[in-house]
Amino acid sequence: MKRIGVFVCHCGINIAGTVDVKKVVETLKGYSGIVHAEDYMFVCSEPGQALIRDTIKQKQLDAIVVAACSPSLHEATFRRVAQDAGLNPYQCEMANIREQCSWVHQADKEGATQKAVRIVRSLVEAVRYNEDLEPITVPVTRRAVVVGAGIAGIKAALDIADAGHEVLLIERNPSIGGRMIQLSETFPTLDCSQCILTPKMVAASRHPKIKILTYHEVVEISGFVGNFKVKLLKKPRYVKEGTCNLCNKCIEVCPVVVPSEFDMGLAWRKAIYLPFPQAVPSVFTLDEKSCLGLDPIRCGKCAEVCTPKAIDFDMGPEVFEVEAGAVVVATGFDLYPMSKLGEYGGEKYEDVINGLEFERILSASGPTGGQVRRPSDGRVPKDVVFIQCAGSRDPENHMPYCSKICCMYTAKHAMLYKHRVHDGNAHVFYIDVRTGGKDFEEFYQRAVEEDRVNYIRGKVSKVFKQGDKIVVWGVDTLSGKKVEVKADLVVLALPLVPSAGTEELFRKLRLSTNKHGFIQEAHPKLRPVEHPNSGFYLAGVAQGPKDIPEAVAQASGAAGKVGALFSAAELLREPTTAEVNDLCDGCAFCVDPCPVQAVTLVEYARDGEMKKKVEVNQALCLGCGVCMATCPKKGIAVRNFTADRFLSMVDAMLTD
Ligand code: FAD
Ligand code: SF4
Ligand code: SF4
């Protein structure tokens, strides 16, 4: 029988404040196989670890159970301690008596103490069954796939490539650049967004280690950290890159006019188009949805005038597969739909617009060349109302969270408006102004003091049209007085939401998100750029609302993590994978349920007869146990997670 040692941690008062630690130790002392049990104030401290190491040697222990916090925090610590003392690291288990016991039963000390005993006993049963295991080594493909080419994706790609690794930068739109390329000037420095972004776009396009795949989408990702297979869809542009010389003749003859996505519908483009002058790659795209018809060809004028014969109506979608060791998700954001903000006139009135539309109006490359003119009649607005938190921080009707950047971009909008329209009035309705960032408070103060922006603390109660004015009613909660502004233009600071289509993408890739669809980090404080699924990293607003400096910092963090992953000669994987035994008769029930297709049915000869059984690809297996749960004959089990082990654990948990 294994000689098992148990070490029960007080964790200060985190555990000992609720659980009677001494009583747990005394109760466990008589339990089968336990040859040593003791408590200690902080077992994770250096002296605590030394105590465990020394006791393993002195008492010749075969296995240990550390009763403390969650294994997700300290399992690696104690497995290393066990290994240093000469044990196989899998002869160490952690019993979680903090998160799963003391923290949740603070009102019932007696009950918590009894539960702690049961939890520890069940882990003693577990470790009794544990076999010595050795990690599995797998090679690493030193190529990263970055999904989404806004500023976060571009920065992550550049940093990974600068570290010497290949990068595939995947963007679903015809050009890289994301939302930042649409912005006019950026807070808190008011530098021109395009001027600071386009050098990065060009650097990415020229980098020998970066391959940019625009107009591409991810269809599927299979495999595991270091060894992913990424299936990509190349959408047809109907224009041959490298042959098109941007002569513009096709654009001149194309009879179709549709709203420009880049200009947020405030200007027009043709069915064949370049999204914006600095687009990367600089190649036209024929948008098949707005073209008059490609099959059969109903117009074909672009092909007729195209001298270098760059138009190819026969192009079709292509699906192909690439290998990669790591995936950075940087799919960014959209704005919450205006149509959902009818109470603020969203999509009811032409002169109620969103923040990105106002960015295009302010932009020198925008539809009005940077002059502030309202969409309905092109007049210069003399009174502009900006409504902050229009849909954010509104759990009853819209989104409960703070979108983080709108206080700052509204201050910027009001300021830039005043710089363009000197005799104009900017009114900002706000709940409170959040300026948590370097130089942000000073920026906001400039808007109030130098540019005389009229900040009104209060919620807007009604927005309605009166003649050619948009009337905004609210209450100033500082003075208690009703406020009415007869505005020419209203700008809504809408919530940031995950990009359209990402919910489906993340579901397909089995990437967890929070309840609002922003991709989940492995730990909110300690692992903010990693996803819980190994090999996936996060950057930018895909993870949650943030400004450009934060998106860039996170992208560099994700790139650093990818670099660290790629620096290893080979990867070590957990050996707790599925193993087939002699009870398997090849019924193949387990083959289809395996989420990573690690199980295959094989035939073999025995005693002159052909037999069947399944085999498990150890490099692919996640150790999830789905196969084990579906097998009716106990023919497949995850190492150190056998059914007998589980049953013993349950018995120990239920026995008084
Ligand atoms: P995005 O810019 O959204 O890029 C994501 C990219 O991923 C896009 O190109 C998208 O097409 C692509 N993508 C999405 N899904 C897929 C998919 N499935 N496959 C492939 N590609 C995909 N910040 C500042 O610091 N200063 C400012 O002055 C400022 N002003 C702002 C004004 C407004 C009105 C708004 C709304 C934001 C402002 N911001 C500002 C914030 C700034 O825009 C963001 O921080 C920044 O753009 C985030 O970049 P990103 O790369 O995370 O996302
Ligand atoms: Fe425009 Fe389509 Fe005609 Fe070409 S074929 S000119 S893209 S409408
Ligand atoms: Fe597939 Fe079984 Fe491994 Fe899960 S444990 S990944 S089902 S082989």
Side-chain angles (χ1 to χ4, degrees):
M1 190 189 274
K2 272 187 187 170
R3 293 170 61 79
I4 300 169
V6 175
F7 301 88
V8 184
C9 186
H10 291 233
C11 194
I13 55 165
N14 273 304
I15 294 171
T18 305
V19 170
D20 182 342
V21 170
K22 298 271 180 213
K23 191 169 172 188
V24 172
V25 168
E26 286 314 307
T27 315
L28 288 167
K29 273 186 179 161
Y31 195 72
S32 158
I34 297 182
V35 296
H36 178 88
E38 82 174 286
D39 59 292
Y40 194 77
M41 182 56 81
F42 291 108
V43 283
C44 61
S45 65
E46 202 37 65
Q49 294 181 41
L51 169 88
I52 299 174
R53 246 186 327 259
D54 294 345
T55 313
I56 292 172
K57 289 181 191 160
Q58 281 161 15
K59 301 258 170 120
Q60 295 177 348
L61 301 179
D62 299 311
I64 58 166
V65 173
V66 181
C69 53
S70 163
S72 66
L73 292 173
H74 268 310
E75 188 177 73
T77 311
F78 296 114
R79 287 205 162 152
R80 224 174 7 249
V81 169
Q83 194 168 23
D84 289 349
L87 294 184
N88 181 282
Y90 292 87
Q91 298 303 345
C92 164
E93 289 291 346
M94 282 193 76
N96 182 350
I97 58 165
R98 193 178 74 176
E99 286 84 342
Q100 292 176 0
C101 189
S102 65
W103 278 358
V104 285
H105 300 297
Q106 285 173 6
D108 179 9
K109 294 191 176 184
E110 182 55 37
T113 304
Q114 280 175 23
K115 181 174 168 182
V117 170
R118 286 167 192 257
I119 293 174
V120 181
R121 275 196 322 222
S122 80
L123 269 301
V124 168
E125 289 308 319
V127 85
R128 204 194 298 285
Y129 278 83
N130 279 7
E131 291 171 18
D132 287 357
L133 298 178
E134 295 303 326
I136 298 168
T137 53
V138 285
V140 195
T141 305
R142 290 188 179 77
R143 180 187 300 120
V145 159
V146 177
V147 188
I151 181 59
I154 293 172
K155 179 65 176 146
L158 282 169
D159 284 7
I160 297 168
D162 283 347
H165 308 296
E166 268 182 60
V167 182
L168 295 177
L169 180 57
I170 317 294
E171 169 57 52
R172 67 177 171 193
N173 283 339
S175 170
I176 62 171
R179 293 295 183 193
M180 186 175 163
I181 198 70
Q182 294 178 286
L183 305 183
S184 54
E185 288 154 52
T186 52
F187 65 75
T189 43
L190 290 190
D191 37 4
C192 149
S193 190
Q194 298 191 345
C195 309
I196 54 176
L197 179 58
T198 49
K200 295 282 169 217
M201 291 164 63
V202 172
S205 72
R206 298 239 169 104
H207 202 296
K209 293 275 180 190
I210 299 179
K211 189 165 179 190
I212 296 179
L213 298 176
T214 48
Y215 228 40
H216 281 64
E217 280 181 27
V218 175
V219 178
E220 190 184 291
I221 300 184
S222 56
F224 54 91
V225 55
N227 295 270
F228 291 113
K229 287 194 191 322
V230 183
K231 210 179 262 182
L232 295 171
L233 166 72
K234 180 182 181 189
K235 299 182 278 188
R237 260 183 213 276
Y238 303 103
V239 179
K240 290 183 222 157
E241 286 181 47
T243 309
C244 169
N245 62 12
L246 303 174
C247 70
N248 251 8
K249 284 185 193 155
C250 56
I251 291 186
E252 286 158 18
V253 296
C254 177
V256 178
V257 175
V258 290
S260 151
E261 295 84 356
F262 177 67
D263 278 321
M264 299 297 296
L266 296 171
W268 306 97
R269 67 162 171 85
K270 294 292 184 75
I272 190 163
Y273 70 112
L274 191 66
F276 49 93
Q278 311 93 319
V280 171
S282 194
V283 60
F284 290 154
T285 300
L286 194 165
D287 160 22
E288 62 183 2
K289 286 201 192 98
S290 40
C291 174
L292 290 179
L294 288 166
D295 189 17
I297 296 165
R298 293 194 44 212
C299 157
K301 287 187 181 152
C302 51
E304 281 167 26
V305 296
C306 182
T307 325
K309 303 276 174 248
I311 311 286
D312 178 0
F313 293 133
D314 293 330
M315 264 186 199
E318 284 171 40
V319 175
F320 60 100
E321 198 171 82
V322 292
E323 289 184 353
V327 178
V328 179
V329 180
T331 46
F333 71 98
D334 277 330
L335 291 180
Y336 189 67
M338 285 284 272
S339 56
K340 293 195 177 174
L341 283 156
E343 68 268 39
Y344 294 134
E347 278 199 1
K348 269 201 234 164
Y349 311 126
E350 230 185 313
D351 293 323
V352 176
I353 61 173
N354 67 40
L356 279 174
E357 288 167 338
F358 199 57
E359 290 286 337
R360 295 312 303 142
I361 289 174
L362 290 169
S363 174
S365 69
T368 54
Q371 290 183 29
V372 183
R373 296 190 175 277
R374 63 184 205 165
S376 62
D377 54 11
R379 257 196 321 116
V380 175
K382 286 292 155 63
D383 278 282
V384 181
V385 166
F386 298 89
I387 304 179
Q388 291 192 178
C389 303
S392 296
R393 303 169 68 196
D394 185 351
E396 276 90 44
N397 307 304
H398 301 290
M399 300 316 233
Y401 54 85
C402 166
S403 290
K404 204 168 170 183
I405 56 166
C406 345
C407 285
M408 286 304 292
Y409 79 58
T410 299
K412 172 186 79 172
H413 285 170
M415 212 184 241
L416 291 177
Y417 163 70
K418 293 281 288 186
H419 294 179
R420 308 276 206 287
V421 184
H422 301 296
D423 58 345
N425 303 306
H427 316 267
V428 178
F429 280 89
Y430 71 102
I431 305 177
D432 48 39
V433 179
R434 298 181 168 184
T435 55
K438 193 175 174 194
D439 300 332
F440 285 11
E441 178 62 21
E442 293 88 329
F443 184 82
Y444 158 63
Q445 290 302 337
R446 254 173 70 196
V448 177
E449 285 161 20
E450 286 177 29
D451 294 302
R452 301 258 164 246
V453 174
N454 174 25
Y455 272 81
I456 306 158
R457 184 171 180 183
K459 262 211 126 167
V460 167
S461 55
K462 198 167 175 182
V463 176
F464 58 98
K465 198 150 186 212
Q466 199 172 70
D468 70 345
K469 296 278 182 187
I470 309 285
V471 184
V472 181
W473 281 355
V475 177
D476 184 334
T477 49
L478 293 179
S479 66
K481 288 190 183 142
K482 283 189 185 162
V483 182
E484 177 186 273
V485 183
K486 290 198 164 100
D488 302 300
L489 185 69
V490 173
V491 184
L492 304 182
L494 300 174
L496 302 195
V497 294
S499 295
T502 45
E503 191 186 346
E504 194 196 333
L505 177 75
F506 296 160
R507 204 180 316 114
K508 255 194 313 198
L509 305 187
R510 291 190 290 275
L511 296 177
S512 49
T513 61
N514 73 359
K515 64 178 172 186
H516 307 298
F518 292 109
I519 193 161
Q520 194 71 45
E521 57 284 333
H523 189 284
K525 291 165 207 119
L526 304 178
R527 294 173 66 196
V529 300
E530 295 160 82
H531 189 267
N533 296 8
S534 290
F536 285 90
Y537 303 90
L538 330 169
V541 182
Q543 184 253 353
K546 54 179 68 70
D547 58 26
I548 297 162
E550 236 191 305
V552 166
Q554 199 187 24
S556 290
K561 282 280 166 196
V562 172
L565 177 77
F566 288 177
S567 66
E570 45 189 12
L571 297 180
L572 295 182
R573 297 198 72 212
E574 279 288 313
T576 42
T577 49
E579 187 179 32
V580 183
N581 60 44
D582 289 344
L583 297 173
C584 171
D585 65 2
C587 71
F589 278 18
C590 58
V591 173
D592 284 345
C594 173
V596 289
Q597 289 88 47
V599 189
T600 42
L601 184 64
V602 292
E603 279 194 288
Y604 66 104
R606 192 161 75 187
D607 304 330
E609 253 186 85
M610 288 312 286
K611 305 231 175 210
K612 287 181 182 171
K613 64 170 186 162
V614 293
E615 272 181 3
V616 176
N617 180 333
Q618 295 299 321
L620 283 179
C621 176
L622 306 169
C624 68
V626 167
C627 53
M628 183 174 152
T630 49
C631 176
K633 290 129 200 163
K634 288 194 185 173
I636 190 165
V638 176
R639 291 183 180 86
N640 282 355
F641 287 93
T642 58
D644 292 343
R645 180 183 185 265
F646 277 123
L647 288 173
S648 264
M649 289 174 74
V650 173
D651 281 346
M653 191 70 98
L654 298 180
T655 310
D656 282 330

